[in-house]
Every structure is written in C-alpha cells, then in structure tokens.
Amino acid sequence: MKLYPLKFTPIFKYRIWGGEKLKTELNKKYTAENIGESWEISDVSGDETIVEEGSLQGKTLKELTQQFKGDFVGHAVYEKFGEEFPLLIKFIDAKTPLSIQVHPSNEIAKKRHNSFGKNEMWYVMQADTNAELIVGFDEKLSTGSYKKHLENNTILDTMHHENVKKGDTFYIPTGRVHAIGAGVLLAEIQQTSDVTYRIYDYDRVDAKTGEKRDLHNDLAIDVIDFETHENYKTAYQIEKNISNELVHSPYFKTNILEINTNVEKDYSNIDSFVIYMCVEGSVEIIVENESYKINNGETILLPAAINFVSLKSENAKILEVYY
C-alpha cells in the first residue's frame, strides 16, 4: 500500500477555559461548548488521531508507524522512538486564561509518568486587543520566596507578561513556568506528552465538575527553572517562498513559509515525516500529480517516504514541522 499526504480527524477537547474560535476562526466542526483544544495529530494513549481519507482511512497514527516504520516516520526517527510518534500537534483557543503551569523534563517525566517530557512552542494565530502570554519570571526567585508567593496568591506578580499579536512565537522548554492568556488562539507543537503540573488556577471552579481543579505544587517544585531571561519571544525573519527557521530544538524543528507562488520542496535530505500546519490562507499540495489542499487551521502529514512536493498558493503561511 502506498503512502500519501495524510489528514487526520481532529480530537476536540473540552477545557474550562475554552471558547468558540476553533469554530469561528478555524472552521472546525463540533457542537460542544468550551472546546479549548483541537488535537490535530496525536499518538497519546487513548487519544490517537485517525486518518480521515484515502486508502488508509481509519488507521491510527500508531498503526501507520507499526505498518510502515521508517517509510512513515523516517528511519532515524523509527530507530530512536520505535512505534512512539514523537510529536503532538494542536490548535488552542483560550477564552479565559489557562492555569499557570510547568512541564517536567524527559528524565523526570519518564521516571514519574513513563512519558516523554513536554518541550513545546507556540505560534500566535490571532489575539484580541491586549491579549497576553505569561512566560517565565521577571524577578529572580529562591525556592523559599516562590513558595511564599504561592501562599499569598501573588505568583502572577513575579511572572513575565507579554502582550502578543499574530505571528508572535515562543519556545517553552521544560521547567519554564507559563500560561496562555485570555483571547489568544495559537498553534502548539510539542513532544507527545499530556503531563502538566498546575501551579495556580485563579481559584476557579470547573462548571462540569463543580469543583476546583487539582494543583500539583509538590511535583512542580523541583521542576521549575527560576532563571530570568531578557527575552522570551523568538526572533525571526521571513523571506517569501522559502523555509525560514522559527524554532529548532532537540525535540522538533519548525520553519515558517510565506507562499505567494509555486514552491518546490525537496525533502530527500530530511530523514523524517514533515507536518504542515496552515496558519493563514490556503495551500495546494501536489505529490506525484495528486493534489491535496489545506486551509487556515488545517494540518497534513507527509510521510518520510515522500521527498518531492509542490506547494501552490497566492497568499498563505504554513508551519513546516519535522523531527
């Protein structure tokens, strides 16, 4: 059976802070309320996305990796991760703020949860006026002063708040305390992990359960990086119709392409799958004379066996993600 560019059926997640933008801005189809996340490509146990169309329709990400191995994920990727797909791809809509949170490293996540750690990045797709992200600290804290701020509910005062607009990009390594603020719609690329330690949650009650959500401060305390940094935002430049580096980390590489013509891509030197997330406009993807299309808010995966791709658009931006 032949591999081809694959769209997956998204998994929609209720969140206490979720809104309507996945529907109104990204044209996602669902009826539930407070949907905060669209899991586009996921191998998280119990939340595996399945192929939407074509001869492989109905197969999960896991089944594709098992069946096609290196031809699907890349031979080096398969050698390193086996049947574990290394990335989780999402769109996130925060109508109200997310909890202040932190993610553990690979080593700690493996030991405590038998999971990958959760290094991640954000690309802002839309932001309301004065919307902000919270990333890292603005003042140097000791463990003791941090605990005091937690007790006094003043932890927000110590953190770095940044007003954001479309196109702003942040890399969030494990250990960096962070939160998405109200009014932000973004694309998130992360390791395959659902391990989050909540530090502070505004004392709010989840309408679904009638209870406050659990905090994980005992687990979080030895994970947090208390270092302060001058800049938390990722600086980048865009030259049209080529891949521009956005975030290259040991866990994933993400480029941005702004396309207004026909672009030929040769992936023969990348031993990895490639994921396109459309973050503006729409793009036609041509592989072996077959045409596929993604619109703003859609995602497609190119198996590693596909080396040559033509991209056509009059005006689009896509994130290009690979291992």
Side-chain angles (χ1 to χ4, degrees):
M1 199 174 272
K2 202 168 176 196
L3 284 163
Y4 55 93
L6 298 162
K7 279 186 179 179
F8 294 81
T9 303
I11 297 169
F12 300 117
K13 294 284 189 180
Y14 163 83
R15 295 291 184 253
I16 189 174
W17 38 261
E20 295 289 316
K21 285 183 188 172
L22 295 173
K23 197 187 285 183
T24 58
E25 297 275 338
L26 303 187
N27 206 29
K28 300 290 182 189
K29 306 287 188 239
Y30 56 85
T31 53
E33 293 186 350
N34 296 101
I35 296 298
E37 301 190 13
S38 175
W39 289 22
E40 299 285 301
I41 297 178
S42 167
D43 191 36
V44 172
S45 182
D47 282 310
E48 294 99 347
T49 45
I50 61 170
V51 177
E52 202 162 79
E53 54 201 10
S55 57
L56 295 168
Q57 185 176 8
K59 286 202 177 279
T60 65
L61 204 53
K62 178 80 77 200
E63 288 167 338
L64 293 169
T65 310
Q66 288 168 340
Q67 183 174 346
F68 296 103
K69 300 181 170 58
D71 283 349
F72 179 57
V73 293
H75 296 289
V77 175
Y78 188 77
E79 209 167 282
K80 182 164 187 179
F81 296 106
E83 288 163 7
E84 306 281 323
F85 192 82
L87 299 184
L88 174 56
I89 304 295
K90 300 175 180 178
F91 293 112
I92 297 180
D93 166 31
K95 185 179 181 179
T96 57
L98 274 68
S99 63
I100 306 296
Q101 57 190 244
V102 70
H103 305 302
S105 65
N106 275 345
E107 296 71 30
I108 290 174
K110 179 80 182 149
K111 198 165 88 181
R112 291 181 183 171
H113 313 282
N114 196 29
S115 167
F116 292 123
K118 194 171 167 187
N119 290 272
E120 63 190 19
M121 67 160 281
W122 296 330
Y123 175 89
V124 176
M125 295 174 70
Q126 185 273 336
D128 297 349
T129 308
N130 297 326
E132 64 176 25
L133 295 172
I134 296 174
V135 185
F137 293 103
D138 268 341
E139 60 176 88
K140 188 86 166 78
L141 297 176
S142 64
T143 308
S145 60
Y146 166 78
K147 283 179 171 174
K148 202 164 241 91
H149 278 294
L150 273 186
E151 284 165 25
N152 297 335
N153 279 347
T154 52
I155 194 65
L156 283 171
D157 301 343
T158 70
M159 301 199 65
H160 178 74
H161 299 246
E162 186 142 353
N163 282 10
V164 291
K165 62 185 187 308
K166 184 177 181 171
D168 284 352
T169 299
F170 293 80
Y171 179 57
I172 314 290
T174 58
R176 184 165 295 170
V177 175
H178 61 278
I180 301 169
V184 179
L185 174 70
L186 55 76
E188 180 174 271
I189 295 142
Q190 57 159 97
Q191 290 176 275
T192 297
S193 166
D194 202 25
V195 179
T196 294
Y197 296 158
R198 263 186 235 113
I199 290 167
Y200 177 72
D201 198 30
Y202 304 91
D203 277 336
R204 59 189 161 184
V205 172
D206 188 336
K208 266 201 172 177
T209 63
E211 295 177 6
K212 292 179 184 178
R213 298 192 296 172
D214 290 340
L215 299 179
H216 312 101
N217 281 308
D218 291 350
L219 289 168
I221 193 70
D222 61 349
V223 166
I224 294 169
D225 173 11
F226 289 110
E227 286 300 313
T228 58
H229 299 270
E230 207 165 302
N231 282 318
Y232 290 95
K233 190 159 69 174
T234 299
Y236 67 94
Q237 290 173 313
I238 294 189
E239 193 179 324
K240 288 186 178 174
N241 303 311
I242 64 163
S243 295
N244 302 272
E245 183 177 320
L246 207 52
V247 171
H248 282 200
S249 79
Y251 312 98
F252 53 80
K253 295 177 177 65
T254 302
N255 302 319
I256 188 164
L257 283 92
E258 185 172 341
I259 303 167
N260 63 1
T261 182
N262 296 358
V263 176
E264 302 295 323
K265 296 295 296 180
D266 175 358
Y267 291 117
S268 52
N269 63 339
I270 294 177
D271 188 8
S272 169
F273 59 87
V274 176
I275 293 166
Y276 293 148
M277 300 181 82
C278 187
V279 292
E280 195 176 307
S282 62
V283 184
E284 187 184 357
I285 298 157
I286 298 155
V287 174
E288 294 179 352
N289 297 319
E290 291 285 325
S291 178
Y292 308 82
K293 190 179 181 187
I294 51 171
N295 301 309
N296 185 33
E298 291 186 318
T299 304
I300 200 164
L301 184 148
L302 305 178
I306 295 173
N307 287 328
F308 300 101
V309 181
S310 297
L311 303 172
K312 289 185 182 178
S313 180
E314 288 176 9
N315 183 24
K317 280 184 187 164
I318 60 172
L319 304 183
E320 174 188 54
V321 184
Y322 50 95
Y323 185 77

